Amino acid sequence: MRTPSPAPRPTLHVLVVGINRYAEPQLTLNYAVADAKGFVDWAKRQGKGDFGAVDVITLLDQQATRSAILSQFDKLRASKPEDVVVIYLAGHGENAKDNWYFLPTEFGHTLTLDAVAAEGLSSQAIEHAVVNMGAQRVFLL
């Protein structure tokens, strides 16, 4: 009688976005990048032992464009059902037109409702990305 091989351990996929510098200088933050880096360190430490692999993607400041964030969301579609995905967003968020938006680094306007809705990353877009990921356990921070 064969002993069944153990199930492969899941992969921890971590997407960390931290933005201090925006195209609109008045939106400059002081701690979002430091917080993001701290989260990366935590994820790497926590993932050891519990997961078969830890895959950390970090987008900081000018790397954290709307298209780069959406591209990483798209790549997470390939995660497996047993995997765990953690998404950490540190930067400006704003409510506009009955929705919440995360502002990418290229946001270069004052915080008007129209500008936020046009250039921000909506909670609906984030929800759509999460629903379409392969992993059954997705955490958004």
Side-chain angles (χ1 to χ4, degrees), residues 25-73:
Q26 292 181 355
L27 296 178
T28 298
L29 294 172
N30 294 318
Y31 302 106
V33 169
D35 291 348
K37 288 179 179 179
F39 192 83
V40 167
D41 292 341
W42 175 86
K44 287 179 179 177
R45 283 193 317 274
Q46 292 301 114
K48 291 182 180 177
D50 293 330
F51 296 93
V54 178
D55 176 32
V56 179
I57 286 50
T58 307
L59 300 174
L60 302 176
D61 282 331
Q62 276 62 45
Q63 298 170 329
T65 63
R66 186 175 196 280
S67 64
I69 296 167
L70 289 172
S71 175
Q72 292 305 320
F73 284 168

Side-chain angles (χ1 to χ4, degrees), residues 14-125:
V14 182
L15 172 59
V16 178
V17 178
I19 306 170
N20 282 348
R21 293 187 313 239
Y22 286 87
E24 170 52 59
Q26 292 181 355
L27 296 178
T28 298
L29 294 172
N30 294 318
Y31 302 106
V33 169
D35 291 348
K37 288 179 179 179
F39 192 83
V40 167
D41 292 341
W42 175 86
K44 287 179 179 177
R45 283 193 317 274
Q46 292 301 114
K48 291 182 180 177
D50 293 330
F51 296 93
V54 178
D55 176 32
V56 179
I57 286 50
T58 307
L59 300 174
L60 302 176
D61 282 331
Q62 276 62 45
Q63 298 170 329
T65 63
R66 186 175 196 280
S67 64
I69 296 167
L70 289 172
S71 175
Q72 292 305 320
F73 284 168
D74 192 48
K75 289 179 183 177
L76 288 169
R77 292 177 76 171
S79 58
K80 296 180 177 133
E82 66 272 12
D83 291 348
V84 175
V85 172
V86 178
I87 301 166
Y88 180 86
L89 302 175
H92 280 291
E94 192 65 41
N95 289 313
K97 299 187 176 189
D98 297 325
N99 207 338
W100 178 84
Y101 295 83
F102 182 74
L103 301 182
T105 189
E106 70 268 26
F107 188 84
H109 302 283
T110 54
L111 294 174
T112 65
L113 297 179
D114 289 337
V116 169
E119 294 184 28
L121 185 58
S122 74
S123 59
Q124 291 170 335

